């Protein structure tokens, strides 16, 4: 025994605090849903990440156990166990039971890593059916168990820690009476977060294992966020090596990694105390404005930008930019409880300063790279100019022609967009069948001839010049670019209907890329679908059956047994092989058809995926296409 059991005023206060967490979990961990459940894990792992950021730990092991308990083990200094001077109980017990106690004592260094609301591990303890902590320190192994936040006995020594081994091992089982709904940890969700944590905590090794499935992953990035940028650009052509910059200003750690590529898109991610701030904030603004300023200054000084030329805009300097900015702040201010936007004003000044100095030096010392980056900005600026002119022309034209619909669009009679559908069909012949087969009251048909443009590899001006794309934009009624307005959408469902062959899947991909790049809200709001035409028609004893998958065809033939010799099997190579009635019956009739809803679960991942799919690198594209089918959720209507 290392402490007396005491039930004084302090412990009563403690228990009241934990009761408050159990009564109102929403206030402390953001709810009782799957997201909140995952946050319990992050809260515990954050403590180990803090040890790593303090330079005291380089190994973190996380496992989801068979009983859905979670273990997090690190080789840090171990949570202190000595008796807390005020509370007269072990520091370990205090950390585990007092809200916000986590980093308040012990040696220097402040708590920097995220936490959900910075409540610390005690909130997790309160929401756990049980929790056990093992601390290796001073040659001993200390142990304490808790149930629903209450200590079960005092801190005990249960063994000897070999040599100078130190660390903390925490296992918790969430309380199913609180997390009632959906309660299965998702490996991929957790893995994504651990990968980010490992990127922004250079040198730490995070091993993550799922005992339920046997899956495991190890993350270790010697290069920290430099590796992160390399990872993001793994399928892009870069213009120079990653530029890494780092400085502590006024107690705030600032790190950034920057690399330009030949892509047309921007991939910039920001982190505050290891949390991915998806809505950016002052660190993001600081990074962007520094890059724009430095590039303009250098371009003027070196004469690459002439006196008569206007400055590059922020958009010009962001085309092809991949960057990470990561800050560590003792007192981060976020816009809301969800921690997606950093608000500290001083951070913008510091990031601008650090990135400004370092990137200026980089350009001065690497004139070749500087020239490449500026050439890229020039092309981007000229293209934007051309696009603006082209768009103005399109807008003026469409104002004149007052929304003329494309000639080949067979529109529907219904005007209420919540009831209407637009089928985008490959080829004129399938378009013909679809026009005859449809219910013209609410279904419109737009046939596309041949392939539309690869919009990933072309700029807006060129895209707007393509007739198929033009027809698509005016049929949808929302405009494009800066003038895009989703309220103009003329159809509630946009359905891509292509042949079940290689060309069909290519056209489908080109369309998906176009929508993702230029009309993402169409996907986010759930308007985009993929039609599912049958692969076979099997006729047996004058009974026709449509089959949508090879496996179903095989199953049916097996079912027919010997009789299958009498069946006639027709394989549909294209939509054009179906007559209008068949097309209606199998693919367009809301009573019978199956549609796949296209969703973007994670925009950042989709960004990488689309780039990979449509970019220049060939191998990863092939790999992606093979696994693509699984990513689209099924939706029966
Ligand atoms: C307070 C003080 C010290 C370490 C820790 C907390 C600590 C907490 C956790 C939680 C998970 N792993 C952890 N590792 C360390 C510093 C103690 C010292 O100076 O020795």
């Amino acid at each position: 025994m290392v402490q007396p059991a005491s039930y004084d005023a302090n412990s009563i206060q403690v228990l009241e605090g934990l009761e408050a967490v159990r009564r109102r979990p929403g206030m402390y961990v953001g709810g009782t849903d799957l997201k909140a459940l995952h946050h319990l894990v992050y809260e515990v792992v954050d403590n180990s990440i803090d040890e790593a950021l303090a330079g005291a730990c380089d190994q973190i092991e996380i496992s989801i156990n068979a009983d859905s308990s979670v273990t997090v083990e690190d080789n840090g200094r171990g949570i202190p166990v000595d008796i807390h001077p005020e509370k007269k109980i072990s520091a370990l017990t205090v950390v585990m039971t007092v809200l916000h106690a986590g980093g308040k004592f012990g040696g220097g260094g402040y708590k920097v890593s995220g936490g959900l609301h910075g409540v610390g591990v005690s909130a997790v303890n309160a929401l756990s059916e049980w929790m056990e902590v093992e601390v290796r320190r001073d040659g001993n192994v200390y142990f304490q168990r808790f149930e629903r936040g209450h200590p079960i006995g005092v801190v005990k020594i249960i063994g000897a820690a070999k040599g100078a081994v130190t660390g903390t091992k925490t296992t918790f089982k969430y309380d199913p009476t609180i997390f009632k709904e959906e309660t299965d940890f998702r490996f991929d969700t957790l893995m994504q977060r651990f990968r980010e944590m490992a990127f922004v905590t250079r040198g730490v090794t995070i091993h993550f294992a799922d005992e339920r499935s046997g899956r495991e992953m190890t993350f270790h990035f010697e290069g920290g966020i430099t590796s992160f940028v390399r990872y993001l650009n793994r399928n892009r052509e870069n213009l120079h090596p990653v530029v890494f910059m780092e400085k502590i200003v006024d107690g705030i750690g600032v790190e950034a990694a920057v690399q330009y590529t030949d892509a047309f898109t921007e991939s910039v991610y920001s982190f505050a105390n290891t949390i991915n701030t998806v809505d950016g904030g002052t660190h993001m603004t600081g990074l962007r404005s520094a890059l724009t300023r430095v590039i303009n200054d250098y371009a003027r000084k070196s004469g690459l930008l002439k006196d008569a030329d206007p400055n590059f805009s922020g958009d010009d300097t962001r085309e092809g930019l991949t960057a990470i900015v990561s800050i560590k702040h003792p007192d981060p201010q976020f816009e809301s409880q969800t921690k997606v936007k950093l608000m500290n004003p001083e951070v913008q000044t510091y990031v601008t300063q650090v990135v400004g100095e370092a990137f200026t030096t980089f350009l001065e010392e690497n004139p070749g790279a500087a020239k490449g980056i500026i050439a890229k900005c020039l092309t981007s600026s000229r293209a934007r100019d051309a696009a603006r002119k082209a768009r103005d022309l399109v807008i003026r034209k469409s104002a004149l022609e007052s929304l003329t619909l494309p000639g080949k669009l067979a529109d529907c009679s219904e005007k209420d967009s919540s009831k209407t559908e637009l089928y985008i069909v490959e080829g004129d012949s399938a378009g013909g069948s679809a026009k005859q087969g449809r219910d013209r009251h609410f279904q419109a048909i737009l046939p596309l001839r041949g392939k539309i443009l690869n919009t990933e590899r072309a700029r807006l001006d060129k895209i707007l010049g393509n007739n198929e794309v033009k027809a698509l934009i005016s049929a949808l009624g929302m405009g494009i670019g800066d003038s895009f307005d989703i309220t103009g959408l003329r159809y509630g469902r946009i359905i891509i209907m292509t042949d079940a062959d290689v060309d069909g899947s290519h056209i489908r991909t080109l369309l998906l890329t176009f929508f993702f790049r230029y009309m993402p809200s169409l996907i986010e709001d759930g308007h985009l679908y993929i039609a599912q035409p049958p692969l076979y028609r099997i006729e047996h004893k004058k009974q026709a059956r449509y089959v949508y998958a090879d496996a179903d065809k095989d199953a049916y033939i097996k079912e027919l047994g010997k009789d299958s010799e009498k069946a006639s099997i027709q394989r549909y190579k294209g939509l054009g092989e179906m007559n209008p009635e068949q097309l209606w019956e199998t693919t367009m009739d809301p009573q019978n058809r199956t549609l796949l809803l296209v969703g973007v679960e994670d925009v950042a991942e989709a960004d990488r995926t689309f780039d990979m799919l449509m970019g220049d690198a060939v191998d990863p594209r092939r790999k992606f296409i093979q696994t693509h089918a699984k990513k689209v959720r099924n939706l029966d209507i």
Side-chain angles (χ1 to χ4, degrees):
M1 271 222 333
V2 292
Q3 64 168 82
S6 73
Y7 282 94
D8 56 10
N10 275 330
S11 12
I12 290 165
Q13 222 178 359
V14 162
L15 298 181
E16 279 174 355
L18 296 186
E19 262 321 301
V21 178
R22 291 179 60 81
R23 263 200 315 274
R24 307 184 66 183
M27 275 206 28
Y28 297 88
V29 295
T32 57
D33 57 1
L34 191 63
K35 200 169 163 196
L37 191 69
H38 285 119
H39 273 116
L40 300 186
V41 183
Y42 305 147
E43 193 71 53
V44 178
V45 176
D46 275 345
N47 292 302
S48 301
I49 289 283
D50 268 337
E51 275 295 278
L53 290 172
C57 144
D58 63 1
Q59 294 278 342
I60 302 174
E61 299 264 342
I62 303 147
S63 73
I64 306 174
N65 307 313
D67 62 352
S68 283
S69 67
V70 174
T71 302
V72 178
E73 181 168 11
D74 66 52
N75 64 348
R77 291 165 293 187
I79 302 176
V81 291
D82 44 325
I83 302 300
H84 191 268
E86 283 162 41
K87 304 202 187 293
K88 310 262 191 287
I89 51 174
S90 167
L92 173 59
T93 314
V94 177
V95 168
M96 300 308 295
T97 56
V98 179
L99 295 178
H100 307 284
K104 290 240 175 81
F105 49 94
Y110 45 75
K111 181 175 169 64
V112 294
S113 75
L116 177 61
H117 301 115
V119 286
V121 73
S122 56
V124 180
N125 190 16
L127 300 173
S128 293
E129 189 178 297
W130 55 266
M131 190 157 187
E132 292 181 348
V133 189
E134 255 180 64
V135 171
R136 283 170 172 68
R137 246 182 110 93
D138 318 321
N140 294 319
V141 182
Y142 301 88
F143 173 88
Q144 191 170 27
R145 181 180 164 93
F146 305 84
E147 289 175 10
R148 301 201 157 91
H150 299 257
I152 302 300
V154 295
V155 176
K156 290 191 183 76
I157 293 175
I158 57 163
K162 279 183 221 117
V165 174
T166 59
T168 305
K169 177 174 170 182
T170 309
T171 304
F172 72 95
K173 169 72 178 71
Y174 67 81
D175 187 342
T177 66
I178 287 176
F179 298 92
K180 294 190 197 92
E181 310 153 37
E182 218 188 333
T183 42
D184 242 355
F185 292 108
R186 298 232 173 111
F187 185 86
D188 291 303
T189 307
L190 293 168
M191 179 182 75
Q192 177 96 348
R193 175 94 171 105
F194 299 149
R195 177 192 285 128
E196 284 175 359
M197 284 176 158
F199 272 132
V200 296
T201 316
R202 182 179 29 199
V204 75
T205 300
I206 300 182
H207 177 249
F208 175 37
D210 188 344
E211 281 188 9
R212 302 166 308 172
S213 63
R215 289 180 74 185
E216 59 178 312
M217 274 310 263
T218 304
F219 296 114
H220 172 92
F221 301 105
E222 210 51 62
I225 59 172
T226 301
S227 308
F228 203 159
V229 168
R230 270 195 221 114
Y231 167 78
L232 292 171
N233 283 342
R234 66 198 182 284
N235 302 313
R236 298 173 183 153
E237 282 294 325
N238 66 61
L239 303 185
H240 58 87
V242 179
V243 184
F244 175 72
M245 29 222 150
E246 174 184 38
K247 200 170 180 181
I248 296 172
V249 190
D250 215 5
I252 297 160
V254 176
E255 267 184 65
V258 173
Q259 187 175 44
Y260 279 89
T261 72
D262 71 344
F264 294 126
T265 44
E266 177 194 10
S267 303
V268 179
Y269 300 93
S270 62
F271 293 82
N273 293 359
T274 81
I275 294 180
N276 183 350
T277 35
V278 283
D279 285 344
T282 48
H283 48 350
M284 178 78 106
T285 311
L287 172 81
R288 285 174 161 172
S289 65
L291 290 176
T292 306
R293 184 172 49 80
V294 169
I295 290 176
N296 271 309
D297 287 354
Y298 183 90
R300 292 260 172 237
K301 238 173 43 195
S302 61
L304 292 165
L305 209 53
K306 303 276 180 292
D307 284 349
D309 295 329
N311 264 358
F312 292 128
S313 71
D315 285 335
D316 298 337
T317 59
R318 287 200 276 280
E319 205 177 276
L321 169 67
T322 302
I324 306 289
V325 56
S326 167
I327 64 116
K328 311 271 164 62
H329 198 295
D331 182 27
Q333 306 292 318
F334 295 99
E335 184 182 52
S336 64
Q337 291 234 315
T338 45
K339 291 203 169 175
V340 289
K341 189 168 183 185
L342 184 73
M343 302 305 281
N344 303 62
E346 74 284 8
V347 169
Q348 185 171 332
T349 316
Y350 297 157
V351 173
T352 308
Q353 189 186 319
V354 172
V355 175
E357 272 172 33
F359 204 65
T360 301
T361 309
F362 170 76
L363 293 183
E364 280 166 1
E365 290 174 358
N366 300 274
K371 235 170 143 179
I373 294 170
I374 286 163
K376 171 87 181 151
C377 295
L378 270 172
T379 334
S380 142
S381 148
R382 285 182 193 135
R384 209 173 308 284
D385 228 34
R388 203 173 301 122
K389 283 180 190 137
R391 193 172 54 233
D392 287 352
L393 205 71
V394 171
I395 291 167
R396 230 174 303 136
K397 237 166 120 188
S398 70
L400 282 176
E401 295 163 3
S402 74
L403 289 172
T404 23
L405 293 169
K408 52 190 179 168
L409 171 75
D411 210 358
C412 52
S413 53
E414 175 65 58
K415 295 291 169 223
D416 177 354
S417 70
S418 69
K419 300 192 179 100
T420 58
E421 301 182 341
L422 175 69
Y423 274 85
I424 302 170
V425 186
E426 169 187 1
D428 284 339
S429 81
S433 287
K435 279 180 192 175
Q436 288 175 48
R438 68 178 170 147
D439 180 335
R440 64 178 57 239
H441 173 63
F442 72 100
Q443 291 178 320
I445 311 292
L446 180 68
L448 293 183
R449 199 174 298 122
K451 293 196 175 164
I452 76 157
L453 213 61
N454 181 344
T455 48
E456 174 70 16
R457 293 281 122 185
R459 287 203 186 76
L460 193 57
D461 54 330
K462 194 151 168 228
I463 293 164
L464 289 177
N466 178 278
N467 282 329
E468 306 306 301
V469 173
K470 265 195 224 164
L472 191 55
I473 294 169
S474 42
L476 292 175
M478 301 180 290
I480 188 96
D482 295 343
S483 62
F484 177 84
D485 175 14
I486 195 158
T487 60
L489 181 61
R490 302 178 60 247
Y491 307 96
R493 291 196 179 113
I494 317 297
I495 303 163
I496 300 174
M497 184 159 74
T498 53
D499 289 342
D501 60 9
V502 179
D503 275 352
S505 93
H506 191 201
I507 292 170
R508 187 171 63 235
T509 309
L510 290 170
L511 284 166
L512 288 174
T513 310
F514 171 72
F515 287 124
F516 177 74
R517 283 281 178 238
Y518 295 102
M519 305 179 170
S521 47
L522 202 66
I523 302 179
E524 283 154 15
D525 295 354
H527 292 294
L528 189 63
Y529 298 84
I530 295 172
Q532 296 291 288
L535 290 180
Y536 301 97
R537 179 175 186 274
I538 304 177
E539 197 172 313
H540 178 249
K541 291 191 176 157
K542 299 238 171 328
Q543 284 270 29
R545 178 189 286 219
Y546 296 102
V547 178
Y548 294 81
D550 279 314
D552 295 341
K553 178 199 72 172
D554 297 342
Y556 183 52
I557 288 177
K558 207 165 160 200
E559 186 189 315
L560 290 175
K562 262 195 167 330
D563 237 27
S564 69
E565 285 157 27
K566 288 188 217 134
S568 85
I569 302 177
Q570 182 189 1
R571 181 181 162 86
Y572 291 122
K573 286 188 219 73
L575 298 164
E577 292 175 19
M578 267 182 267
N579 64 37
E581 294 72 37
Q582 289 171 333
L583 194 57
W584 163 258
E585 224 174 278
T586 60
T587 319
M588 299 178 73
D589 177 1
Q591 302 299 317
N592 284 329
R593 73 184 176 192
T594 303
L595 294 179
L596 294 180
L597 174 65
V598 178
V600 177
E601 302 262 2
D602 173 351
V603 178
E605 188 58 38
D607 176 21
R608 300 194 278 271
T609 312
F610 271 83
D611 205 56
M612 164 171 76
L613 199 57
M614 304 315 299
D616 291 329
V618 173
D619 250 349
R621 190 182 326 171
R622 198 170 299 137
K623 230 181 264 160
F624 176 80
I625 289 172
Q626 282 161 4
T627 53
H628 175 72
K630 286 183 226 148
K631 298 236 168 178
V632 191
R633 274 175 293 154
N634 199 350
L635 184 89
D636 286 309
I637 297 182

